[in-house]
Amino acid sequence: MRALTGVTTMDATLRYEVEDLYAAYVECLDSGELERWPEFFTDACLYKIIPLENFERGLPLALMLCESKGMLQDRVEALRRISVYAPRVLRHLVSGIRIRPAPPPSPEALRPSPSEDGKETGESAGVISVQASYAVFQTLVDEPTQVFNVGRYVDRVVREDGKLKFKEKLCVFDSVLVPGSLIYPL
Amino acid sequence: MRALTGVTTMDATLRYEVEDLYAAYVECLDSGELERWPEFFTDACLYKIIPLENFERGLPLALMLCESKGMLQDRVEALRRISVYAPRVLRHLVSGIRIRPAPPPSPEALRPSPSEDGKETGESAGVISVQASYAVFQTLVDEPTQVFNVGRYVDRVVREDGKLKFKEKLCVFDSVLVPGSLIYPL
Amino acid sequence: MRALTGVTTMDATLRYEVEDLYAAYVECLDSGELERWPEFFTDACLYKIIPLENFERGLPLALMLCESKGMLQDRVEALRRISVYAPRVLRHLVSGIRIRPAPPPSPEALRPSPSEDGKETGESAGVISVQASYAVFQTLVDEPTQVFNVGRYVDRVVREDGKLKFKEKLCVFDSVLVPGSLIYPL
């Protein structure tokens, strides 16, 4: 093997951390421990579930939209109160995680947020852009497992108190037809 | 990027090894080389395929249960003798591998085993706890590929003669409905 | 944890690079940027989509066969001209990437290629053998996402100008039944 160029041990170590973030994130969702879900995000954040077509055309319509950790917590509380949904098991597979130099922040991310105001030299400082493919399988009681939702995560990750957290998480899904309905976060 | 904390090169290296163990394990199953399958386990081991519901409720009923490498070998021999099954191709995808500090051993693992007796300072020494999500696709002759079985591996891994091996492997699957039947190990 | 043996930092770093190659490759396909697809290959290359049965029996029949970057480019041009296909979104999940010492080159790879002639000390110098499992999901407009094609990549990767590229990429798929038809590269 010839000399390796362009990859440092730090890259590999950061990749390890990012992969672990995604593994922990989907494990939280798949084990149904939704109360822990908001903890994967920064206080000021953007969480969106949007169809691919809307994402590509820049249309704002989303199936789920939360703009702060508080909104994510409200969402979980609402889910817990409204228990009309048939019990189901979700299983996420994530693949093809790509870490890139952070692009300019999206318009939504440009709003000043109390948690960072004045502490950072700039919005893009320390922001990691991450994309990954996901497939979610759903199992309803006494039914075979089926493909539920497939798409791509388009995320922005930052370090907060030494831990990686999502500042932005867009779940861009391929099919507008979802078996049953999309109740739980992706 | 700010300084990385909490992840060492050794972590990343161990992760590499664990990922390779899982890649080699599923490649063995998918290529149909079942005779090599028991070699991924320690002599004293626990292999179980159980529905998620039984796992969560602590119910013992399992679809497959082997408690030593010898039992795994017996299982393979039985599979080879009984050739009434339609030929099929399996394909495993594994994702979200998480390595954790080893929890206390499960009750089954507490039995003393001849292979280690007196050689270890304790059952938990050198035991790695690993979890991962899996999806298995099945293809029968002249049929389209379908989702066969989806779930989570809940494993305990040890190092034996320098190689990582499964001391415990629980395949916890999401749906009790399996297309066709579950004949081969997961 | 006892001392780790047999894995060096370089292994982990190379693995990082290989994983990134696959992540970038499938992202190119899934985002529909087919014009960038041939750039993942060396000038002299072999790209084949073949059913598992033919691969195992050594039968040459393939669904797609390209033997140079030029042929890959021709293929993309043809796809762009012939726009009779219903629009679709593909999503690849890749798992179980295994890097191995390179085996002897396949008969197809033995032909001399102008790009390397006399520059390498041998065909096997610097060649990395990589295998991985893949699942491709397809979404047609107003239809639910379905399992499209599942199989294994059997690849040979080399370093060219510091970047990893495919010298050989065999897409060995499990089912001869493909929903719709296999138009786009895997």
Side-chain angles (χ1 to χ4, degrees), chain C:
Chain C
M1 197 60 49
R2 274 163 273 173
L4 296 168
T5 56
V7 179
T8 66
T9 302
M10 186 172 140
D11 288 333
T13 308
L14 177 62
R15 184 185 184 86
Y16 171 95
E17 273 197 290
V18 169
E19 285 179 350
D20 206 51
L21 171 68
Y22 281 79
Y25 178 85
V26 303
E27 189 194 50
C28 170
L29 293 181
D30 291 347
S31 61
E33 297 172 31
L34 290 183
E35 280 71 16
R36 290 199 294 115
W37 172 62
E39 295 308 315
F40 287 93
F41 294 83
T42 55
D43 286 340
C45 62
L46 177 67
Y47 178 79
K48 247 184 176 179
I49 303 182
I50 38 172
L52 177 58
E53 210 182 328
N54 290 14
F55 177 75
E56 286 184 339
R57 295 189 182 182
L59 302 174
L61 197 66
L63 239 76
M64 207 185 283
L65 171 61
C66 297
E67 295 180 295
S68 70
K69 191 188 282 188
M71 282 183 72
L72 297 171
Q73 287 160 340
D74 286 352
R75 179 90 202 176
V76 173
E77 267 188 56
L79 271 171
R80 292 304 192 196
R81 274 198 311 269
I82 306 158
S83 54
V84 297
Y85 307 119
R88 69 201 62 204
V89 180
L90 298 177
R91 192 70 53 199
H92 291 64
L93 263 70
V94 176
S95 162
I97 292 176
R98 293 203 75 196
I99 303 171
R100 308 192 219 203
S106 71
E108 288 97 332
L110 277 174
R111 293 177 227 149
S113 65
S115 65
E116 311 175 307
D117 192 43
K119 287 181 190 156
E120 289 282 331
T121 54
E123 176 68 37
S124 68
V127 177
I128 310 159
S129 183
V130 185
Q131 295 205 12
S133 298
Y134 71 81
V136 184
F137 300 87
Q138 178 174 271
T139 307
L140 295 164
V141 177
D142 295 331
E143 288 191 24
T145 299
Q146 56 184 166
V147 177
F148 176 63
N149 190 280
V150 167
R152 187 161 47 118
Y153 289 131
V154 181
D155 302 341
R156 294 163 63 80
V157 169
V158 294
R159 190 177 300 280
E160 197 182 74
D161 299 331
K163 278 186 83 171
L164 295 184
K165 300 211 168 182
F166 293 111
K167 179 161 195 60
E168 261 188 71
K169 187 167 194 69
L170 310 186
C171 312
V172 183
F173 61 97
D174 294 344
S175 174
V176 291
L177 280 192
V178 175
S181 54
L182 210 155
I183 305 154
Y184 295 100
L186 293 176

Side-chain angles (χ1 to χ4, degrees), chain A residues 152-169:
Chain A
R152 186 161 49 117
Y153 289 131
V154 181
D155 301 342
R156 293 162 67 79
V157 169
V158 295
R159 189 176 301 279
E160 198 182 72
D161 300 330
K163 277 186 81 172
L164 295 184
K165 299 211 168 183
F166 292 110
K167 180 163 194 58
E168 263 188 68
K169 188 166 193 68

Side-chain angles (χ1 to χ4, degrees), chain A residues 9-10 13-14 16-17 19-20 23-24 27 89 91-94 120 128 137 139 142-145 147 159 162, chain B residues 1-5 7 9 11 15 19 52 93 95-96 98 100 131 133 135 147 150-152 174-175 177:
Chain A
T9 302
M10 187 171 139
T13 307
L14 177 62
Y16 171 95
E17 272 198 291
E19 284 178 352
D20 205 50
E27 190 194 49
V89 180
R91 193 69 53 199
H92 291 65
L93 263 71
V94 176
E120 288 282 334
I128 310 159
F137 300 87
T139 307
D142 294 332
E143 287 191 24
T145 299
V147 178
R159 189 176 301 279
Chain B
M1 196 61 49
R2 273 165 272 174
L4 296 168
T5 58
V7 179
T9 303
D11 288 333
R15 183 186 183 86
E19 285 179 351
L52 177 58
L93 263 70
S95 161
R98 292 203 75 196
R100 307 192 220 205
Q131 296 205 11
S133 298
V147 178
V150 167
R152 188 161 46 118
D174 295 342
S175 175
L177 282 192

